[in-house]
Amino acid sequence: MIKIAMTKGRIQKQVTELLAQAGFDVQPILKMDRELQVVTKDGFELIFGKANDVVTFLEHGIVDIGFVGKDTLDESDFDDYYELLDLRVGECDFALASFPDYADKVFQRRKRIASKYTSIAKRYFAERGEDVEIIKLEGSVELGPVVGLSDAIIDIVETGNTLKANGLVVIDRFLPISTRLIAGKTSFKFKKDEILELVAKLEQVKK
Ligand code: PRP
Ligand code: MG
């Protein structure tokens, strides 16, 4: 029995497709309505939650493995896990974005940067020796510069459509993201063979 936490939404859809291609029973996942946990014929016990909570479930030993975005892992303090597989789905990048004139602008004060990923944003500017003010937004981060709350944003860019629709451009694309399969270190010790079998099967179908 492997206990799995899966990030709801897009990751769930893409990973379920890969699990199906790898020959696993995904019917219980596809038939889910509002339930948040299912058991499959392969002996997987799956729970579905928000990205940060997938990490929390792993951290507390509630699940053995998790499917979660690299963005969430980089933002979180948790590091007691092994990253076993890059599934190459949900590929996108972290970027600094703003209006096109941002790079040429001279700021007489601390720049204000809006982001949902405040740790990543802090690290980005610290590495560049820039002292900025980070403002946390939970979503629709592009509003930051649009409404004048911030000078720029640190956010995820996939197609770039959201930036474009709001008059913004990528200033610096700095970190590639994709969905990862991670295992808690303790779980890996006790369920190594089962976990590695799942990893091997997924490895064959990933792009
Ligand atoms: C994400 C991300 C960007 C957008 C990138 O937002 O924060 O805003 O998608 O995709 P694109 O480059 O293809 O436009 P999401 O739609 O998940 O909403 P949220 O930021 O409000 O959580
Ligand atoms: Mg967004």
Side-chain angles (χ1 to χ4, degrees), residues 30-67:
L30 298 175
K31 281 198 309 224
M32 267 169 67
D33 183 15
R34 299 298 290 180
E35 48 277 64
L36 297 169
Q37 51 177 339
V38 301
V39 178
T40 73
K41 281 191 190 129
D42 303 297
F44 297 157
E45 235 178 78
L46 292 116
I47 59 172
F48 301 84
K50 287 217 168 209
N52 289 328
D53 298 340
V54 167
V55 174
T56 302
F57 288 124
L58 223 97
E59 199 171 353
H60 290 266
I62 305 299
V63 295
D64 303 309
I65 67 169
F67 291 99

Short mmCIF file of all heavy atoms in Angstrom, two decimals, residues 30-67:
data_model
loop_
_atom_site.label_atom_id
_atom_site.label_comp_id
_atom_site.label_asym_id
_atom_site.label_seq_id
_atom_site.Cartn_x
_atom_site.Cartn_y
_atom_site.Cartn_z
N LEU A 30 -10.87 9.01 -11.86
CA LEU A 30 -11.70 9.62 -12.90
C LEU A 30 -13.17 9.73 -12.45
O LEU A 30 -13.88 10.64 -12.86
CB LEU A 30 -11.61 8.81 -14.20
CG LEU A 30 -10.21 8.73 -14.82
CD1 LEU A 30 -10.19 7.82 -16.03
CD2 LEU A 30 -9.70 10.13 -15.19
N LYS A 31 -13.59 8.79 -11.61
CA LYS A 31 -15.00 8.77 -11.16
C LYS A 31 -15.25 9.67 -9.95
O LYS A 31 -16.39 9.82 -9.52
CB LYS A 31 -15.41 7.34 -10.80
CG LYS A 31 -15.74 6.50 -12.04
CD LYS A 31 -16.56 5.24 -11.70
CE LYS A 31 -15.95 4.44 -10.59
NZ LYS A 31 -15.91 3.00 -10.75
N MET A 32 -14.17 10.27 -9.42
CA MET A 32 -14.32 11.11 -8.23
C MET A 32 -15.28 12.27 -8.48
O MET A 32 -15.27 12.84 -9.55
CB MET A 32 -12.97 11.75 -7.89
CG MET A 32 -12.13 11.01 -6.92
SD MET A 32 -10.50 11.75 -6.93
CE MET A 32 -10.81 13.36 -6.24
N ASP A 33 -16.06 12.57 -7.49
CA ASP A 33 -16.94 13.73 -7.61
C ASP A 33 -16.46 14.78 -6.61
O ASP A 33 -15.60 15.58 -6.92
CB ASP A 33 -18.38 13.31 -7.38
CG ASP A 33 -19.35 14.45 -7.57
OD1 ASP A 33 -18.94 15.48 -8.15
OD2 ASP A 33 -20.51 14.35 -7.12
N ARG A 34 -16.96 14.75 -5.39
CA ARG A 34 -16.48 15.70 -4.39
C ARG A 34 -15.62 15.01 -3.34
O ARG A 34 -15.13 15.67 -2.42
CB ARG A 34 -17.65 16.42 -3.69
CG ARG A 34 -18.53 17.24 -4.60
CD ARG A 34 -17.77 18.36 -5.27
NE ARG A 34 -17.39 19.41 -4.34
CZ ARG A 34 -16.73 20.51 -4.69
NH1 ARG A 34 -16.34 20.66 -5.96
NH2 ARG A 34 -16.42 21.42 -3.81
N GLU A 35 -15.44 13.69 -3.47
CA GLU A 35 -14.64 13.00 -2.46
C GLU A 35 -13.17 13.39 -2.62
O GLU A 35 -12.74 13.75 -3.71
CB GLU A 35 -14.84 11.49 -2.48
CG GLU A 35 -14.74 10.79 -3.81
CD GLU A 35 -16.03 10.82 -4.61
OE1 GLU A 35 -16.46 11.93 -4.99
OE2 GLU A 35 -16.58 9.75 -4.90
N LEU A 36 -12.44 13.33 -1.55
CA LEU A 36 -11.05 13.81 -1.55
C LEU A 36 -10.05 12.69 -1.34
O LEU A 36 -8.85 12.92 -1.33
CB LEU A 36 -10.88 14.89 -0.46
CG LEU A 36 -11.73 16.13 -0.70
CD1 LEU A 36 -11.73 17.03 0.52
CD2 LEU A 36 -11.25 16.90 -1.93
N GLN A 37 -10.57 11.44 -1.15
CA GLN A 37 -9.64 10.32 -1.11
C GLN A 37 -10.23 9.11 -1.81
O GLN A 37 -11.43 8.88 -1.75
CB GLN A 37 -9.19 10.01 0.31
CG GLN A 37 -10.29 9.85 1.32
CD GLN A 37 -9.72 9.46 2.68
OE1 GLN A 37 -8.61 8.95 2.79
NE2 GLN A 37 -10.48 9.70 3.73
N VAL A 38 -9.35 8.36 -2.47
CA VAL A 38 -9.79 7.14 -3.17
C VAL A 38 -8.72 6.05 -2.98
O VAL A 38 -7.56 6.34 -2.67
CB VAL A 38 -9.99 7.37 -4.69
CG1 VAL A 38 -11.02 8.45 -4.96
CG2 VAL A 38 -8.68 7.69 -5.40
N VAL A 39 -9.17 4.81 -3.17
CA VAL A 39 -8.25 3.68 -3.14
C VAL A 39 -8.34 3.01 -4.51
O VAL A 39 -9.42 2.84 -5.05
CB VAL A 39 -8.63 2.67 -2.03
CG1 VAL A 39 -7.71 1.46 -2.05
CG2 VAL A 39 -8.57 3.35 -0.67
N THR A 40 -7.19 2.65 -5.10
CA THR A 40 -7.22 2.01 -6.42
C THR A 40 -6.90 0.52 -6.30
O THR A 40 -6.42 0.07 -5.26
CB THR A 40 -6.19 2.64 -7.38
OG1 THR A 40 -4.88 2.23 -6.99
CG2 THR A 40 -6.28 4.16 -7.37
N LYS A 41 -7.16 -0.19 -7.40
CA LYS A 41 -6.90 -1.65 -7.42
C LYS A 41 -5.43 -1.97 -7.23
O LYS A 41 -5.06 -3.08 -6.87
CB LYS A 41 -7.38 -2.23 -8.75
CG LYS A 41 -8.87 -2.43 -8.82
CD LYS A 41 -9.23 -3.25 -10.06
CE LYS A 41 -10.74 -3.26 -10.27
NZ LYS A 41 -11.11 -2.88 -11.65
N ASP A 42 -4.56 -1.01 -7.55
CA ASP A 42 -3.12 -1.24 -7.41
C ASP A 42 -2.64 -1.04 -5.97
O ASP A 42 -1.44 -1.11 -5.70
CB ASP A 42 -2.35 -0.30 -8.34
CG ASP A 42 -2.78 -0.47 -9.78
OD1 ASP A 42 -2.57 -1.57 -10.32
OD2 ASP A 42 -3.31 0.49 -10.37
N GLY A 43 -3.60 -0.76 -5.09
CA GLY A 43 -3.22 -0.56 -3.70
C GLY A 43 -2.68 0.82 -3.41
O GLY A 43 -1.91 1.02 -2.46
N PHE A 44 -3.07 1.79 -4.22
CA PHE A 44 -2.69 3.18 -3.92
C PHE A 44 -3.83 3.84 -3.15
O PHE A 44 -4.99 3.73 -3.53
CB PHE A 44 -2.48 3.99 -5.21
CG PHE A 44 -1.36 3.51 -6.07
CD1 PHE A 44 -1.35 3.81 -7.42
CD2 PHE A 44 -0.30 2.80 -5.54
CE1 PHE A 44 -0.32 3.38 -8.24
CE2 PHE A 44 0.74 2.36 -6.34
CZ PHE A 44 0.73 2.65 -7.70
N GLU A 45 -3.46 4.50 -2.07
CA GLU A 45 -4.42 5.29 -1.33
C GLU A 45 -4.11 6.74 -1.65
O GLU A 45 -3.06 7.25 -1.27
CB GLU A 45 -4.19 5.06 0.16
CG GLU A 45 -5.39 4.59 0.93
CD GLU A 45 -5.03 4.35 2.38
OE1 GLU A 45 -4.91 5.33 3.14
OE2 GLU A 45 -4.81 3.18 2.73
N LEU A 46 -5.00 7.40 -2.37
CA LEU A 46 -4.70 8.77 -2.81
C LEU A 46 -5.55 9.80 -2.08
O LEU A 46 -6.75 9.59 -1.87
CB LEU A 46 -4.98 8.91 -4.31
CG LEU A 46 -4.07 8.15 -5.26
CD1 LEU A 46 -4.87 7.12 -6.02
CD2 LEU A 46 -3.43 9.12 -6.23
N ILE A 47 -4.91 10.91 -1.72
CA ILE A 47 -5.67 12.06 -1.25
C ILE A 47 -5.34 13.25 -2.13
O ILE A 47 -4.27 13.30 -2.76
CB ILE A 47 -5.39 12.40 0.25
CG1 ILE A 47 -3.90 12.71 0.47
CG2 ILE A 47 -5.85 11.27 1.15
CD1 ILE A 47 -3.62 13.22 1.88
N PHE A 48 -6.28 14.18 -2.23
CA PHE A 48 -6.13 15.30 -3.16
C PHE A 48 -6.23 16.61 -2.40
O PHE A 48 -7.19 16.84 -1.67
CB PHE A 48 -7.22 15.22 -4.24
CG PHE A 48 -7.16 13.94 -5.02
CD1 PHE A 48 -7.77 12.78 -4.53
CD2 PHE A 48 -6.44 13.87 -6.19
CE1 PHE A 48 -7.66 11.58 -5.23
CE2 PHE A 48 -6.33 12.67 -6.90
CZ PHE A 48 -6.95 11.53 -6.42
N GLY A 49 -5.22 17.43 -2.55
CA GLY A 49 -5.22 18.69 -1.80
C GLY A 49 -4.52 19.80 -2.56
O GLY A 49 -4.01 19.60 -3.66
N LYS A 50 -4.49 20.95 -1.94
CA LYS A 50 -3.76 22.09 -2.54
C LYS A 50 -2.26 21.83 -2.45
O LYS A 50 -1.80 21.13 -1.55
CB LYS A 50 -4.11 23.37 -1.78
CG LYS A 50 -5.50 23.85 -2.08
CD LYS A 50 -5.51 25.37 -2.12
CE LYS A 50 -6.82 25.87 -2.69
NZ LYS A 50 -6.67 27.14 -3.37
N ALA A 51 -1.52 22.45 -3.35
CA ALA A 51 -0.09 22.19 -3.48
C ALA A 51 0.67 22.27 -2.14
O ALA A 51 1.38 21.33 -1.76
CB ALA A 51 0.52 23.15 -4.50
N ASN A 52 0.50 23.37 -1.41
CA ASN A 52 1.23 23.53 -0.15
C ASN A 52 0.84 22.44 0.85
O ASN A 52 1.66 22.00 1.67
CB ASN A 52 0.95 24.90 0.48
CG ASN A 52 1.60 26.02 -0.29
OD1 ASN A 52 2.67 25.83 -0.88
ND2 ASN A 52 0.97 27.18 -0.32
N ASP A 53 -0.40 22.00 0.78
CA ASP A 53 -0.87 20.99 1.72
C ASP A 53 -0.32 19.61 1.37
O ASP A 53 -0.14 18.77 2.26
CB ASP A 53 -2.41 20.97 1.75
CG ASP A 53 -2.97 22.31 2.24
OD1 ASP A 53 -2.21 23.06 2.88
OD2 ASP A 53 -4.14 22.61 1.96
N VAL A 54 -0.03 19.37 0.11
CA VAL A 54 0.62 18.10 -0.28
C VAL A 54 1.94 17.99 0.46
O VAL A 54 2.29 16.95 1.01
CB VAL A 54 0.83 18.04 -1.82
CG1 VAL A 54 1.77 16.91 -2.19
CG2 VAL A 54 -0.51 17.87 -2.53
N VAL A 55 2.67 19.10 0.51
CA VAL A 55 3.95 19.13 1.23
C VAL A 55 3.71 18.91 2.73
O VAL A 55 4.43 18.16 3.38
CB VAL A 55 4.68 20.48 0.98
CG1 VAL A 55 5.92 20.58 1.84
CG2 VAL A 55 5.03 20.62 -0.50
N THR A 56 2.68 19.52 3.26
CA THR A 56 2.36 19.36 4.69
C THR A 56 2.04 17.91 5.04
O THR A 56 2.50 17.38 6.04
CB THR A 56 1.18 20.28 5.09
OG1 THR A 56 1.53 21.63 4.78
CG2 THR A 56 0.84 20.16 6.57
N PHE A 57 1.26 17.25 4.19
CA PHE A 57 0.92 15.84 4.43
C PHE A 57 2.18 14.97 4.42
O PHE A 57 2.32 14.03 5.19
CB PHE A 57 -0.08 15.33 3.38
CG PHE A 57 -1.47 15.90 3.55
CD1 PHE A 57 -2.10 16.57 2.51
CD2 PHE A 57 -2.15 15.76 4.76
CE1 PHE A 57 -3.38 17.10 2.67
CE2 PHE A 57 -3.43 16.28 4.93
CZ PHE A 57 -4.04 16.96 3.88
N LEU A 58 3.10 15.29 3.54
CA LEU A 58 4.35 14.54 3.45
C LEU A 58 5.22 14.79 4.68
O LEU A 58 5.79 13.87 5.27
CB LEU A 58 5.11 14.96 2.19
CG LEU A 58 5.70 13.78 1.45
CD1 LEU A 58 4.78 13.38 0.33
CD2 LEU A 58 7.07 14.10 0.94
N GLU A 59 5.29 16.06 5.05
CA GLU A 59 6.09 16.50 6.19
C GLU A 59 5.66 15.79 7.47
O GLU A 59 6.48 15.47 8.32
CB GLU A 59 5.88 18.02 6.34
CG GLU A 59 6.92 18.72 7.12
CD GLU A 59 6.75 20.24 7.03
OE1 GLU A 59 5.91 20.74 6.24
OE2 GLU A 59 7.46 20.92 7.78
N HIS A 60 4.36 15.53 7.59
CA HIS A 60 3.83 14.91 8.80
C HIS A 60 3.69 13.40 8.68
O HIS A 60 3.06 12.77 9.53
CB HIS A 60 2.49 15.56 9.17
CG HIS A 60 2.65 16.97 9.65
ND1 HIS A 60 2.75 17.30 10.99
CD2 HIS A 60 2.79 18.13 8.97
CE1 HIS A 60 2.93 18.61 11.11
NE2 HIS A 60 2.95 19.14 9.89
N GLY A 61 4.24 12.85 7.60
CA GLY A 61 4.22 11.39 7.46
C GLY A 61 2.85 10.81 7.17
O GLY A 61 2.63 9.61 7.35
N ILE A 62 1.92 11.63 6.73
CA ILE A 62 0.57 11.15 6.43
C ILE A 62 0.57 10.35 5.12
O ILE A 62 -0.18 9.42 4.94
CB ILE A 62 -0.43 12.33 6.31
CG1 ILE A 62 -0.41 13.19 7.58
CG2 ILE A 62 -1.84 11.86 5.97
CD1 ILE A 62 -0.81 12.48 8.84
N VAL A 63 1.42 10.77 4.19
CA VAL A 63 1.55 10.05 2.91
C VAL A 63 3.02 9.69 2.68
O VAL A 63 3.92 10.27 3.30
CB VAL A 63 1.03 10.90 1.71
CG1 VAL A 63 -0.47 11.17 1.84
CG2 VAL A 63 1.82 12.21 1.59
N ASP A 64 3.20 8.72 1.77
CA ASP A 64 4.56 8.28 1.43
C ASP A 64 5.16 9.11 0.31
O ASP A 64 6.35 9.42 0.33
CB ASP A 64 4.53 6.81 0.98
CG ASP A 64 3.92 5.91 2.04
OD1 ASP A 64 4.36 6.01 3.21
OD2 ASP A 64 3.00 5.14 1.71
N ILE A 65 4.33 9.41 -0.67
CA ILE A 65 4.84 10.19 -1.80
C ILE A 65 3.85 11.30 -2.17
O ILE A 65 2.68 11.27 -1.79
CB ILE A 65 5.12 9.31 -3.05
CG1 ILE A 65 3.82 8.74 -3.62
CG2 ILE A 65 6.09 8.19 -2.75
CD1 ILE A 65 4.01 8.11 -4.99
N GLY A 66 4.35 12.25 -2.92
CA GLY A 66 3.49 13.35 -3.35
C GLY A 66 3.79 13.74 -4.79
O GLY A 66 4.92 13.57 -5.27
N PHE A 67 2.77 14.22 -5.47
CA PHE A 67 2.94 14.82 -6.79
C PHE A 67 2.71 16.31 -6.63
O PHE A 67 1.60 16.74 -6.28
CB PHE A 67 1.93 14.24 -7.79
CG PHE A 67 2.19 12.80 -8.14
CD1 PHE A 67 1.47 11.78 -7.53
CD2 PHE A 67 3.16 12.47 -9.07
CE1 PHE A 67 1.72 10.45 -7.85
CE2 PHE A 67 3.41 11.14 -9.41
CZ PHE A 67 2.70 10.13 -8.79
#
